[in-house]
Amino acid sequence: MNWRPYTHLSMSVDPGERPRIGVSFYASITRARARVLESGRPYLVLESDEADVTVSTTGAGSVTAEDLDIAREIFNAAARYLADCERMHADHAQATDSAA
């Protein structure tokens, strides 16, 4: 099956609940970057041709212990994602070489 890249956006608004927005990239991320604003506030951006997702500190204020916790979660999740992508890429290359 040939899957085409896409970005999926969903939003749900339920009475009495805060709205929820989901962004899923099933396409190449064109950029992933981390920067620090002049104010000293760090932020992380994931960009594709269709959408951008930005993560920054709580309330765009000072860095809290909770901000550190989520930054560590992002770091660990990105490391696992990289390892899985590398493994799958190597498996695919090996299967392609074996088929030739």
Side-chain angles (χ1 to χ4, degrees):
M1 183 174 278
N2 187 6
W3 296 95
R4 296 179 52 131
Y6 65 96
T7 299
H8 178 80
L9 173 68
S10 64
M11 181 173 150
S12 66
V13 181
D14 296 316
E17 300 290 327
R18 293 177 66 181
R20 178 160 174 74
I21 297 173
V23 179
S24 301
F25 295 106
Y26 297 102
S28 294
I29 300 291
T30 57
R31 274 181 296 280
R33 59 190 168 98
R35 302 259 171 107
V36 177
L37 296 172
E38 287 183 25
S39 66
R41 181 169 49 96
Y43 66 97
L44 171 70
V45 180
L46 300 176
E47 299 176 13
S48 77
D49 289 340
E50 296 87 15
D52 300 346
V53 174
T54 303
V55 178
S56 190
T57 56
T58 303
S62 300
V63 176
T64 66
E66 291 81 14
D67 294 324
L68 291 175
D69 290 343
I70 194 63
R72 288 184 187 102
E73 285 184 41
I74 291 168
F75 177 84
N76 290 328
R80 286 190 309 272
Y81 178 69
L82 172 61
D84 289 339
C85 287
E86 288 176 334
R87 177 185 48 77
M88 290 182 73
H89 181 72
D91 290 349
H92 177 74
Q94 183 179 10
T96 302
D97 290 345
S98 297

